[in-house]
Amino acid sequence: MSHAESELLIEEYCCLLEFPANPDDFVKHLQDKLAQVDEICAVDKQFTINKDGESVFKRIPSLAQTNEVEELESKIRVLMPERSILEILCNVKHWLN
């Protein structure tokens, strides 16, 4: 593949991704996008980059359960009795023949 042919493919690919095909504009576009990521990460410290350059995603702390959630769980437990794996497989076999 010639350089000219690859240039056409690059332009087509960038068009599909809605990226600028011009190298200078492409770099500027990426810098702008990464600046947006930096702003998000500055506010929300769930994502950081460690000293080795590896991305680190921190676990999001769970929210306290509300009374509604506990009520829903108890109703589900009443309506869905526990089944063994063998019972479940027998039911599936019966339903699907």
Side-chain angles (χ1 to χ4, degrees), residues 16-81:
L16 286 172
L17 296 177
E18 298 180 0
F19 286 175
N22 174 310
D24 294 331
D25 293 340
F26 182 81
V27 169
K28 175 72 173 122
H29 177 77
L30 289 181
Q31 288 173 337
D32 292 345
K33 291 294 183 185
L34 289 173
Q36 291 174 359
V37 172
D38 287 344
E39 289 175 17
I40 292 168
C41 292
V43 172
D44 189 6
K45 298 290 185 183
Q46 292 174 353
F47 172 79
T48 57
I49 298 175
N50 66 16
K51 62 181 174 149
D52 298 326
E54 299 168 335
S55 56
V56 178
F57 293 95
K58 296 180 183 173
R59 187 173 290 212
I60 300 171
S62 62
L63 302 174
Q65 284 192 357
T66 62
N67 289 338
E68 290 87 7
V69 171
E70 291 174 9
E71 289 175 22
L72 178 62
E73 285 180 353
S74 66
K75 287 179 182 180
I76 289 173
R77 285 193 184 97
V78 168
L79 295 173
M80 284 183 56

